[in-house]
Amino acid sequence: MTDLAPLRPPVQAAPVHQRTRGLAEVALDGGGKRGARLTRLYQRGSAKAFLPRIHSDRPEVVFLNTAGGLTGGDDMRFDLRLGPGVTAVATTQTAERAYASLGDPARMAVQLRVGAGGMLHWLPQETILFDRSTLARRTVADLEGDAGLVLCETIVLGRAAMGERLTDVSCEDWREVRRDGRPVLLEPFRLCGAALAVRDGPAMLGDAVSVSSLALCAPGAADRLGAVREVLDGLPGPVRAAAAGWDDKLVVRALSREAQALRKAVAAVLGVLTGAALPRVWAI
């Protein structure tokens, strides 16, 4: 009688987790006396874009991730193109959230294009990092001729109202502005667990739980430096900030131990950089 080999338990396949994919593309071209005209609107997956009705010649484009946040393996892309002479503001409907990852990074790509004589205000709401989140984001803006751009990014470390304190994150946030194909502003930002563990020292966070970067890239941008510094001089105690202007650029760095205080400071600085009110979704 032949001996039977002992039965072995079946090999369990690794679970396949559902991932978010999304692409939203918007293009606006000049429409003469009627202002900007929508020439392309493409949406796929969980990326959406809409243009709310507003009483202004400056259209608003609002991007949205219907998945409610990003986690490892997700891939989200927003693309916005303004034709020559078009002025617009673009934002996100709410704060983006980067949740804990099992290893793979959540990827996000933002591509902005502004034609000659145009002006874009790219004003996304905050990005909130959760513990063990892994985010890789790349924002690239291409300007033609004398086009202008206001660029704003704010990162918040956890949910302060719940007393969260992050210890393990990975955030790589690359921001690049090019004019006629040549880089005019490069801003690589990287945050990891080691930086959270050693907060004291030059270029470190200290007691901050949120950090913002704002930039104006446009002819004569440095002329607004005095007005921006007046705003910074009046900021409340929790916020620390500095500004510099050179070569048609004005850059502001700010951080705060209170996220809401920084949000108010960013709003005040944007009032000087844009000369206009914030997008309506910021107030919701």
Side-chain angles (χ1 to χ4, degrees), residues 140-169:
V140 177
D142 283 294
L143 310 180
E144 296 180 359
D146 60 348
L149 172 72
V150 174
L151 185 68
C152 173
E153 288 288 356
T154 298
I155 293 176
V156 179
L157 309 182
R159 296 167 294 181
M162 301 185 66
E164 291 181 334
R165 185 174 179 84
L166 305 191
T167 59
D168 181 17
V169 299

Side-chain angles (χ1 to χ4, degrees), residues 28 35-37 51-52 54 56-61 82 86-90:
L28 298 170
R37 176 171 53 93
L51 284 77
I54 59 173
S56 171
D57 294 333
R58 184 189 68 161
E60 290 185 5
V61 180
L82 303 186
V86 174
T87 295
V89 58

Side-chain angles (χ1 to χ4, degrees), residues 201-213:
M204 304 303 285
L205 291 173
D207 61 354
V209 299
S210 58
V211 56
S212 290
S213 174

Side-chain angles (χ1 to χ4, degrees), residues 67-284:
L70 297 171
T71 189
D74 291 348
D75 192 320
M76 188 69 50
R77 289 184 287 165
F78 297 147
D79 189 303
L80 175 61
R81 183 183 64 82
L82 303 186
V86 174
T87 295
V89 58
T91 184
T92 53
Q93 188 184 44
T94 187
E96 186 60 86
R97 293 163 174 81
Y99 296 114
S101 169
L102 295 177
D104 294 332
R107 300 188 182 278
M108 186 169 190
V110 178
Q111 179 68 60
L112 310 170
R113 302 176 181 88
V114 188
M119 170 62 77
L120 172 62
H121 301 160
W122 173 243
L123 313 178
Q125 299 196 62
E126 298 91 342
T127 297
I128 303 175
L129 303 180
F130 285 65
D131 210 26
R132 295 184 294 111
S133 61
T134 303
L135 176 65
R137 179 168 56 190
R138 184 178 181 88
T139 301
V140 177
D142 283 294
L143 310 180
E144 296 180 359
D146 60 348
L149 172 72
V150 174
L151 185 68
C152 173
E153 288 288 356
T154 298
I155 293 176
V156 179
L157 309 182
R159 296 167 294 181
M162 301 185 66
E164 291 181 334
R165 185 174 179 84
L166 305 191
T167 59
D168 181 17
V169 299
S170 175
C171 177
E172 295 185 1
D173 199 4
W174 176 275
R175 304 159 199 153
E176 179 178 353
V177 181
R178 302 185 293 227
R179 187 178 299 279
D180 296 326
R182 299 180 60 185
V184 295
L185 181 65
L186 293 175
E187 186 180 33
F189 175 87
R190 185 172 185 269
L191 183 64
C192 60
L196 293 173
V198 183
R199 285 175 166 258
D200 295 329
M204 304 303 285
L205 291 173
D207 61 354
V209 299
S210 58
V211 56
S212 290
S213 174
L214 302 93
L216 170 62
C217 298
D223 295 341
R224 304 190 192 186
L225 181 59
V228 167
R229 284 179 171 170
E230 286 185 12
V231 172
L232 298 183
D233 289 341
L235 293 180
V239 180
R240 291 172 288 154
W246 75 102
D247 294 341
D248 292 332
K249 294 183 290 291
L250 195 161
V251 177
V252 180
R253 303 280 190 270
L255 66 167
S256 174
R257 63 177 183 270
E258 296 178 8
Q260 188 61 28
L262 184 61
R263 182 181 176 90
K264 293 179 179 179
V266 167
V269 173
L270 287 176
V272 177
L273 297 183
T274 66
L278 290 171
R280 290 191 300 173
V281 292
W282 275 55
I284 298 176

